[in-house]
Amino acid sequence: MSSTSVSTALAPYGWDDAWADEFAPYDSEGLLPGRVVRVDRGQCDVVTAGGVLRADTAFVTPHDPLRVVCTGDWVAVEPAGTPRYVRTCLPRRTAFVRSTSSKRSEGQILAANVDHAIVAVSLAVELDLGRIERFLALAWESGAQPVVVLTKADLVPDAVTLSHLVQDVENTAPGVPVLAVSAVGGDGLDVLAAVVAGGTSVLLGQSGAGKSTLANALLGQDVMEVQAARDVDGKGRHTTTTRNLLTLPGGGVLIDTPGLRGVGLWDAGTGVGQVFAEIEELADDCRFHDCAHEAEPGCAVLAALDSGELPVRRLESYRKLLRENQWIVAKTDARLRAEIRKDWKRKGAEGRAAMEAKRGRQR
């Protein structure tokens, strides 16, 4: 098949000249380019110019869990064989990674080569701004552009209340589009469809956030199974059990993912900084370059806190995510672990000295 035919067939899945250049060395070996649309049990479905092929991933399964074949990867696959193998993955442009729930220091890759990370948040329950910040940190770190979609907007009929909810999230998500959408009434879907038409989007969120309903609305047909969420907490069972890559009728590609119970950070220091951009900007004006924003003199962050410019909740969330991310990174870095222990001892000694000085003044 000619390169023109391949480009035409794979263009709806995101194939472009840059991918063609990356694949060129494998073309001479007779391998086929394709994009992984689904992975399960060591095998994957790969869409190629000739159709969808079933291939084994054992040939490229490394010890590093972040380099396993995942949905969204562009790969070089054998044209024939029983079994047929994926021979290699092309270098990823972006990768959405979270930490695993296991005690091992491992990351889990959820989707690759994503342009937009759509964080679905249900308006059927009270907003959890801290969880939104956590999702956004991972999204920014992945290299994708985050978009927050407030689903089930039809459950908030009062326009003023809905506007306030959107504003709350906008204040939590600087630089991130926030859309209120109703898959039932169609409100906001046209704007979202225009956003996702420009590349590959991954749909993320908790179970019950309305991801499958939203995916069906964007696809224009009931492709994803939908189950009702519990009224008490808005949660539901996982209706999506694998990550599926689907082309959208208005252009673009959508990767739907299972509901995420846990959203652990994975080396997301840059992402945390982008989520809390206003705190990072304030920190530039602190007297000390290594200011911890705890009790240091000349701390611009604490000054903003005292003046009311910076909400207490934002600073607490910032500190929490920084600590968590530092600990995750330290689990795989012995030198950093030693530095953290040294810092803890220093702060402990300073705290004890402050207490002793306070007792001395009270005598």
Side-chain angles (χ1 to χ4, degrees), residues 6-7 21 38 48 56 103 128 140 148 168 172 205 221 236 272 279 285 289 342 355:
V6 169
S7 297
D21 291 341
R38 177 188 172 101
T48 68
D56 197 302
K103 294 182 180 179
D128 184 342
W140 280 122
V148 176
D168 285 344
T172 301
Q221 54 184 316
V272 172
I279 298 179
D285 294 327
H289 75 278
K342 183 179 179 180
M355 289 299 295

Side-chain angles (χ1 to χ4, degrees), residues 4-23:
T4 302
S5 298
V6 169
S7 297
T8 301
L10 293 181
Y13 292 90
W15 185 259
D16 56 28
D17 290 343
W19 286 122
D21 291 341
E22 290 282 0
F23 185 78

Side-chain angles (χ1 to χ4, degrees), residues 123-359:
L123 289 175
V125 293
E126 184 177 355
L127 289 176
D128 184 342
L129 298 179
R131 178 171 287 273
I132 294 173
E133 289 163 342
R134 182 178 292 271
F135 268 110
L136 292 177
L138 291 174
W140 280 122
E141 192 69 33
S142 75
Q145 166 66 53
V147 180
V148 176
V149 175
L150 303 179
T151 65
K152 308 181 184 181
D154 51 289
L155 299 181
V156 187
D158 182 66
V160 175
T161 301
L162 181 59
S163 176
H164 287 161
L165 291 171
V166 171
Q167 187 173 19
D168 285 344
V169 177
E170 287 176 339
N171 292 337
T172 301
V176 176
V178 179
L179 307 175
V181 172
S182 170
V184 175
D187 298 332
L189 282 175
D190 55 340
V191 178
L192 179 59
V195 171
V196 300
T200 298
S201 302
V202 60
L203 191 52
L204 305 155
Q206 288 182 285
S207 297
K211 298 191 310 303
S212 295
T213 301
L214 187 60
N216 286 335
L218 290 171
L219 290 163
Q221 54 184 316
D222 292 339
V223 174
M224 311 307 297
E225 183 184 356
V226 177
Q227 292 180 345
R230 296 191 297 255
D231 292 335
V232 64
D233 57 9
K235 296 180 180 179
R237 289 180 292 168
H238 296 317
T239 52
T240 303
T241 56
T242 58
R243 298 170 191 91
N244 304 282
L245 186 148
L246 306 157
T247 55
L248 297 170
V253 174
L254 182 69
I255 299 176
D256 193 19
T257 64
L260 300 176
R261 292 189 180 92
V263 194
L265 300 185
W266 178 259
D267 198 4
T270 300
V272 172
Q274 287 182 269
V275 174
F276 298 93
E278 80 279 26
I279 298 179
E280 299 265 308
E281 290 175 7
L282 287 168
D284 289 338
D285 294 327
C286 289
R287 181 183 301 176
F288 304 109
H289 75 278
D290 59 347
C291 184
H293 321 307
E294 297 286 352
E296 296 85 349
C299 176
V301 174
L302 294 180
L305 196 68
D306 292 338
S307 69
E309 176 188 352
L310 177 65
V312 174
R313 190 205 66 80
R314 284 283 283 175
L315 182 56
E316 290 178 346
S317 183
Y318 175 67
R319 288 169 172 166
K320 178 181 178 181
L321 293 185
L322 278 183
R323 286 195 302 268
E324 178 183 329
N325 189 69
Q326 186 181 45
W327 177 244
I328 287 293
V329 174
K331 288 170 72 175
T332 57
D333 188 328
R335 180 185 59 81
L336 183 57
R337 282 199 302 274
E339 290 179 357
I340 291 175
R341 291 193 186 100
K342 183 179 179 180
D343 188 51
W344 284 347
K345 289 180 180 178
R346 178 183 61 80
K347 288 183 177 180
E350 290 175 352
R352 288 190 295 273
M355 289 299 295
E356 288 298 326
K358 184 177 180 180
R359 291 193 189 102

